[in-house]
Amino acid sequence: MTRPVTGGDHSLVGSSSKIGAVRRLIEKASANRLRVLLLGESGSGKEVVARAIYEANPRGQFVPIDCGTLVGTLMESELFGHVKGSFSGAVENKKGLVELADGGTAFFDEIGDLQLDMQVKLLRLIQELEFRPVGGLQWRKADLRIIAATHRDLDAEVAAGRFRQDLLYRLRVLVIHLPPLREHKEDVPELVDHFLAMSRAAGLPAFPPPWEIRNALLSYDWPGNVRELKHAIDRMSALHSDGALQLSDIPSALQNHMAASTLNRLSKAVESTPAESFTLPPKSPVISLPQSEALAIRNALEATAGERAKAAHLLKIGRTTLYRKMKEYNLA
Ligand SMILES: Nc1ncnc2c1ncn2[C@@H]1O[C@H](COP(=O)(O)OP(=O)(O)OP(=O)(O)O)[C@@H](O)[C@H]1O
Ligand SMILES: [Mg+2]
């Protein structure tokens, strides 16, 4: 199936050496019509790169094709089209996505999710740039630039018998690896400013994130990569009201991260400071220290079904510290 080509900004943001290397490969790929395979975790920017390759040298249309949804004969017709009368319901000739992309770019997204029977059909298209509509007798030529993307490890998929090795060889001409965001955190500030500018352009009021949030954005690991960062900024920009960010405006994964690191810092301070000289750091205007600690403890207890030893381990604090804090916050 295809998705509508959404409008909006597809620019690849980042000045790190890793993103620099990706940019050089984009240039190389767009200068000729080499097949490109984009690999990287979910949310790391594969589609952004696919569109950037197309846009650097736009020719014809950019046609995204979701391989995960290409199953069964109807989908074969979706991809290659069909001739009138080839099956009940085929009341007239219909063009498929491949023909739509003729002269342009076909972006096979989530290629690792393609069913084996469709992989065979794609092989010929990729190898010979030929296709045959369902019910048609003749092979037709297509002038296509082929870009494929997946978050899966295709070698592992081949080893598990779920992906054809010959297809992988054909796809693996120019491979671009998108690094996970945790490996190019130096790009976080630039990305944050980019997403803030986008939400301002969408009419939302300006929202300069307080330093606690900026710090958290930098130290968090972003398992959902740039997409998760974008959603966090979009959410905070949309929800913050009257300039005061509420605890509930912060995505919960980020809240947990902030709470856990505050608690971690605090427990280190408690361990290395004589009790009588210990003073709490100044209260955060966004999420107070006790609030964030109580939240982290509650989450850890929830995650461990109330097992305190495990919860303490998760929080990277001693058990005694945990008991004391539970008492303090009435969580015991
Ligand atoms: N380097 C970047 N600069 C600007 N925006 C980015 C960048 N990388 C990703 N994004 C944004 O993050 C979101 C996710 O990116 P994209 O859709 O390209 O990820 P993906 O790798 O295709 O993920 P999936 O495997 O889940 O399909 C999009 O909103 C995209 O615009
Ligand atoms: Mg994608």
Side-chain angles (χ1 to χ4, degrees), residues 3 9-14 19 23 40-49 107 109-110 149-151 178 184 187 191 194-195 198 224-228 230-231:
R3 298 187 288 274
D9 186 4
H10 304 298
S11 49
L12 182 77
V13 174
I19 293 298
R23 261 203 203 96
E41 289 179 11
S42 190
S44 58
K46 298 184 292 297
E47 180 153 353
V48 175
V49 170
F107 174 45
D109 201 4
E110 298 306 346
T150 182
H151 66 281
L178 273 296
H184 60 110
D187 289 328
L191 282 162
H194 172 71
F195 295 137
M198 277 174 77
N225 297 299
V226 184
R227 177 181 293 121
E228 190 183 4
K230 181 176 187 306
H231 287 174

Side-chain angles (χ1 to χ4, degrees), residues 167-232:
L167 182 57
L168 177 55
Y169 285 149
R170 298 277 139 51
L171 290 171
R172 208 182 245 167
V173 176
L174 189 119
V175 180
I176 305 182
H177 288 270
L178 273 296
L181 184 52
R182 62 184 171 280
E183 288 179 13
H184 60 110
K185 276 193 185 171
E186 62 270 43
D187 289 328
V188 167
E190 210 177 310
L191 282 162
V192 168
D193 290 341
H194 172 71
F195 295 137
L196 287 172
M198 277 174 77
S199 46
R200 268 201 311 281
L204 289 169
F207 158 60
W211 68 266
E212 295 92 333
I213 303 271
R214 284 211 179 248
N215 277 348
L217 296 175
L218 275 174
S219 59
Y220 182 54
D221 254 359
W222 301 109
N225 297 299
V226 184
R227 177 181 293 121
E228 190 183 4
L229 173 61
K230 181 176 187 306
H231 287 174

Side-chain angles (χ1 to χ4, degrees), residues 19-95:
I19 293 298
V22 169
R23 261 203 203 96
R24 278 192 296 281
L25 287 170
I26 292 175
E27 272 167 34
K28 205 179 212 177
S30 60
N32 52 59
R33 297 206 7 123
L34 288 180
R35 262 169 250 154
V36 180
L37 179 60
L38 300 168
L39 300 175
E41 289 179 11
S42 190
S44 58
K46 298 184 292 297
E47 180 153 353
V48 175
V49 170
R51 289 178 189 276
I53 292 171
Y54 165 78
E55 274 160 21
N57 188 2
R59 236 182 85 182
Q61 282 202 58
F62 179 88
V63 181
I65 300 168
D66 279 338
C67 295
T69 60
L70 286 175
V71 281
T73 33
L74 265 184
M75 289 307 156
E76 193 180 337
S77 119
E78 188 78 28
L79 195 55
F80 300 119
H82 62 241
V83 296
K84 184 177 167 179
S86 53
F87 53 90
S88 62
V91 288
E92 50 193 22
N93 288 346
K94 181 181 166 253
K95 283 186 183 178

Side-chain angles (χ1 to χ4, degrees), residues 275-292:
E276 60 276 15
S277 69
F278 182 73
T279 47
L280 285 177
K283 249 191 171 187
S284 147
V286 176
I287 163 173
S288 76
L289 206 54
Q291 252 179 328
S292 64

